[in-house]
Amino acid sequence: CMREYKALKCFDSDHIVKAKLVFDLDSCIVMEDLGDTTLADRLRSTKDFSEAEALGIFLDLITGLEHMHEHGWVHNDFKPNNIMLKSNGQAVIVDLGLAKQEAEKGGVGGGNMKFASPAYLQFELFSSKSDIYTFGLVMLFWHKKLYMSQWAEHYKHPTQDILDFVA
């Protein structure tokens, strides 16, 4: 909790969650209300993203990560569950509990192995490169989900479509 608060007080970006109140540095931080929809929730839903909405989210996330990196911090747990989507469509990076200052030595600290960078897995020094790598994984995951949903919609009877294609 102390690390997260230390990181949060460094930032002034609309794309990084803001701490509103701290009760005890070892137990509770009250964050701004961002609603209850994560990028992961949206990816699990059947609602597609428009091109403009996807581009807006992409730019919001790049801007938020850039702000963190300019202040010497690495998120270290960047994944769809740690991206909140506000009702206005804006994306906000949350959960800085594993954030580290750049060049801090790595170590086991939780996170999601699906979205872990090679540096994180090898306990190397943390750098913005780790977040950029993980950002790429999130975008790949997002693209794969969108591609698969479009494929499933288009190919209602895949066997017949395949037969038609090879004929």
Side-chain angles (χ1 to χ4, degrees), residues 2-166:
M2 178 62 173
R3 178 184 302 274
E4 186 167 15
Y5 177 70
K6 184 179 174 185
L8 287 171
K9 70 181 189 172
C10 293
F11 308 128
D12 182 24
S13 170
D14 291 338
H15 308 294
I16 301 172
V17 67
K18 292 172 181 50
K20 293 294 187 182
L21 182 64
V22 178
F23 285 110
D24 176 354
L25 292 179
D26 291 329
S27 62
C28 187
I29 300 174
V30 178
M31 309 286 184
E32 68 179 305
D33 182 9
L34 299 170
D36 63 355
T37 303
T38 66
L39 179 58
D41 295 332
R42 243 334 260 293
L43 290 172
R44 283 189 291 269
S45 78
T46 57
K47 184 178 178 191
D48 284 334
F49 292 87
S50 70
E51 186 175 327
E53 184 181 21
L55 181 59
I57 292 168
F58 175 87
L59 293 174
D60 289 348
L61 296 176
I62 288 291
T63 302
L65 285 175
E66 180 181 42
H67 188 77
M68 287 184 72
H69 299 160
E70 286 173 350
H71 287 82
W73 285 87
V74 179
H75 188 280
N76 197 37
D77 193 21
F78 191 76
K79 60 188 178 189
N81 281 323
N82 289 340
I83 301 164
M84 298 299 297
L85 301 177
K86 295 170 80 171
S87 60
N88 67 0
Q90 184 181 35
V92 179
I93 300 167
V94 300
D95 193 359
L96 279 72
L98 296 178
K100 303 231 183 227
Q101 290 192 291
E102 200 153 1
E104 194 172 327
K105 186 69 177 164
V108 178
N112 186 323
M113 292 300 133
K114 283 185 191 174
F115 297 101
S117 71
Y120 179 83
L121 295 173
Q122 295 171 6
F123 309 108
E124 294 177 0
L125 294 178
F126 291 103
S127 77
S128 57
K129 292 176 185 176
S130 295
D131 280 346
I132 293 166
Y133 179 90
T134 306
F135 175 81
L137 289 178
V138 169
M139 294 299 106
L140 181 64
F141 178 78
W142 187 359
H143 174 74
K144 180 181 174 188
K145 193 280 182 194
L146 292 174
Y147 174 78
M148 293 306 287
S149 68
Q150 291 170 356
W151 185 88
E153 180 65 30
H154 179 39
Y155 294 103
K156 299 234 186 263
H157 304 286
T159 308
Q160 186 58 48
D161 286 335
I162 292 169
L163 292 173
D164 291 345
F165 178 75
V166 296

